[in-house]
Structure formats: C-alpha cells, structure tokens
Amino acid sequence: AATNWAMRTAGEVPYLARQIRARAGATRPAFLNVFIWNWGSGMHRLYRLLKTLGPGYVDVTPSQLNTLYHAYLKKVKVTAYFHSPIPVITGQPVRLVGHLQNVSGVDQQVRLRVLAGLGQAVIRPGAMRLGRARVATVRLRGVPSGGPIRLAMNGAFGTRPVAIKVERISSSELVQPLPPGENLSPVAYWRGQGLNHLSGSAGKDGVWVARRGKTAPGFIIFGPFASLAKGRYVALFRLKRLGKGAGPVATLDTCVGGGTPQTSQRAVGTAALPLDKWRWVPLVFTHPGGAVETRVDWSGQASLEVGAVAVFRVAK
C-alpha cells in the first residue's frame, strides 16, 4: 500500500493526505492502493480525507482500480519508470537507472531522448526493440542543469513526456565529503512530513519540527518501510537546530524495516548543527534488501527541524 497510519488519530487525515500527494507525484494519471487503519478510522475520516485531497483525487474500489489501471496500460502500450523526485548534489554528475516496460500485446520500437535539465547527457540504450511483456533497463548520466529532467519517449504510440523532479542539495551544507558524484545514483527523496512520527508537528515546506519543552523525545522520524534493493547506500539527513542547547541533539540511524538489524548509526551534537542553518548529515550503510527505515531519535535537548532524507546508491 502507498500509505501507513498515524500514531495519533487527531493527525491521521492530514498525515494520510501528505503521504498520498507524495506518493502520487507529478505524473498523471496515477494509481494508488491506499491503506486505511480500520480499527482507528471511520467513514467520517474518509470523507474528510477526500475533501482535503480535493477534486484531483477520486476514490474507487479495488476492482475499479484494477479495471482503470489495465485500461490505462492498454492505451499507453509502453510505461517508463524513473525515481522521482531525486536528490542531486549541486554541480556534480548523476547516474540514473530507469525501466521501460512493454505492456502491449505486440513488440514495440522505442526511442528515448533527453530534452532538458541534464547537461552532457548520455542515455543508453537510446533506442530499443521491446518484446511483449519485456522490461528494459535504461541508464542515464549527466550534470543536472536546473529544473526537472525532461525526457521524450517515442514509438508507435506517439510521443510522451517523462519528467523527473529534482531536489538540489548544496555541497556547502554537507557536514563531510561524500563518495565521488559519478559513483552516486539517486534513489529517493523523502520529506520530513511524509515519513512516520511518534511526536513533533508539521512545519513549513514539508519539514517536521520537534520543539524543546513541548515535543516528547524519541523517534520524531522513522520509516518509510519502502523496498530497497540489496546494496551499499548513503542516506543524507537534512537537519536544522532551532534553539540553544548543548550535547547530543539526535541519533540518526538506518535499519531494515521494523528496526532490526540496524545498518548504521550516528550521534549528532550541537557542534555539528550551527543555529538556524541547514546541514546534511550522511550515513553510509549496506542494506540486505527489503523494507528500509531512516530514523531520527531526538534527545529533546535542542529544538530541531528535519527537512528531508535523501538516499543514493553507491556504485561499485
């Protein structure tokens, strides 16, 4: 399912709405299987959820979702998937991996090219013959040049745009150097509000806030329990200290979904987080495959904002 539940019933509706919007992304149409916690929810909350989402979202039954999705596949014939949004380090090259799938009943000749947003772009393969029900891996590299990365996919089905939203990370905000940019492949960008929380509150621009003396210490960020392939990764946590304090501010970690085993851990103190300035704190970890969590265990000693968690795969 595209969603999970809120620990506090009062915050369930806005929390679900944020998750749904984040999972839907910018591509339309989008098809989502939404999880509703039946023990703690009710029809009145579902009504409020739909009102919050607005007219761009339509609720359907599972069987209707299946019918609509298969009708969509019959129309488009070939689907393209690239991670979006993706994190990029300003000025550094990126390596992207995407997949094209033939969902029609006949072979398809497909051409893919870069239109904008990526300088010195190389795409391989740029043209291919896709057999029925076959999936092709596409590798793209270049230097992000501003705005989203825009691709065009051509075939007997016509020309269709493919957009990859880009979230920029300033190298000046990194607390330490990362592996070389050409060895990093962006995988995910999760805003603080879109993750799970045991305490804290929503701030501006998608951040999650823990305030000293008001928020209960503990895991202010955990999840998202997304599937992640086996491999070596670096997770970047975007943090900002809001008030005075001393000593440890938070312990960051990565783990397999559910908490065990833990794959990396790092304590972050006030010295690493200058007042009112964003910093990206990296954790390098090896994931065994399956669901993944990125967590912020807040100490309560200084107010803290969590802007996002960015994940890159480290190429061999």
Side-chain angles (χ1 to χ4, degrees):
T3 57
N4 44 49
W5 66 91
M7 302 301 292
R8 296 171 298 159
T9 302
E12 182 184 25
V13 168
Y15 178 62
L16 281 174
R18 288 194 298 269
Q19 286 190 88
I20 290 170
R21 290 189 180 111
R23 301 297 190 270
T27 302
R28 294 294 183 269
F31 302 87
L32 296 179
N33 177 30
V34 177
F35 178 91
I36 302 297
W37 184 36
N38 63 315
W39 290 347
S41 189
M43 292 303 295
H44 64 293
R45 290 198 180 93
L46 295 182
Y47 175 78
R48 286 175 49 209
L49 173 62
L50 292 171
K51 293 285 286 184
T52 300
L53 288 171
Y57 295 81
V58 179
D59 59 314
V60 296
T61 65
S63 62
Q64 289 172 327
L65 182 68
N66 180 65
T67 299
L68 289 168
Y69 183 59
H70 280 87
Y72 166 75
L73 295 181
K74 185 176 181 180
K75 178 181 178 182
V76 299
K77 295 181 173 53
V78 175
T79 61
Y81 176 78
F82 289 86
H83 292 295
S84 182
I86 60 166
V88 300
I89 310 296
T90 303
Q92 291 194 11
V94 294
R95 302 165 63 101
L96 306 179
V97 177
H99 298 93
L100 305 186
Q101 182 175 7
N102 183 352
V103 293
S104 72
V106 298
D107 291 0
Q108 296 286 339
Q109 192 71 34
V110 184
R111 182 169 178 258
L112 198 63
R113 56 196 175 94
V114 178
L115 298 179
L118 195 67
Q120 306 171 36
V122 176
I123 185 165
R124 293 179 179 168
M128 69 204 76
R129 186 174 183 84
L130 265 179
R132 289 176 292 175
R134 297 300 298 270
V135 177
T137 298
V138 177
R139 302 184 187 279
L140 179 64
R141 71 173 186 267
V143 180
S145 56
I149 298 170
R150 299 192 181 277
L151 314 176
M153 184 169 65
N154 302 88
F157 46 81
T159 300
R160 288 212 310 274
V162 179
I164 305 170
K165 186 178 179 181
V166 170
E167 297 286 354
R168 296 187 172 277
I169 295 175
S170 172
S171 57
S172 64
E173 294 181 355
L174 296 169
V175 301
Q176 70 183 61
L178 300 178
E182 62 269 19
N183 294 328
L184 297 179
S185 180
V187 172
Y189 189 92
W190 302 314
R191 291 194 179 278
Q193 286 186 20
L195 293 165
N196 306 74
H197 324 95
L198 290 181
S199 61
S201 59
K204 295 181 179 180
D205 300 322
V207 307
W208 195 255
V209 186
R211 299 194 181 278
R212 183 181 180 183
K214 295 182 179 180
T215 302
F219 286 105
I220 58 171
I221 292 287
F222 66 98
F225 306 96
S227 181
L228 195 64
K230 180 180 179 180
R232 188 165 178 258
Y233 296 87
V234 56
L236 292 172
F237 293 75
R238 192 178 193 221
L239 307 176
K240 182 198 288 186
R241 180 166 60 92
L242 298 178
K244 295 180 179 180
V249 177
T251 300
L252 316 178
D253 77 357
T254 61
C255 61
V256 172
T260 305
Q262 187 181 65
T263 52
S264 68
Q265 185 184 62
R266 178 172 184 164
V268 181
T270 53
L273 300 175
L275 188 63
D276 293 326
K277 294 184 181 296
W278 286 110
R279 288 293 181 266
W280 289 95
V281 182
L283 273 73
V284 177
F285 66 102
T286 299
H287 187 64
V292 67
E293 283 193 74
T294 54
R295 307 189 296 186
V296 177
D297 187 2
W298 181 59
S299 69
Q301 296 194 37
S303 297
L304 184 70
E305 282 189 340
V306 182
V309 178
V311 180
F312 296 82
R313 184 162 189 161
V314 182
K316 294 181 181 179

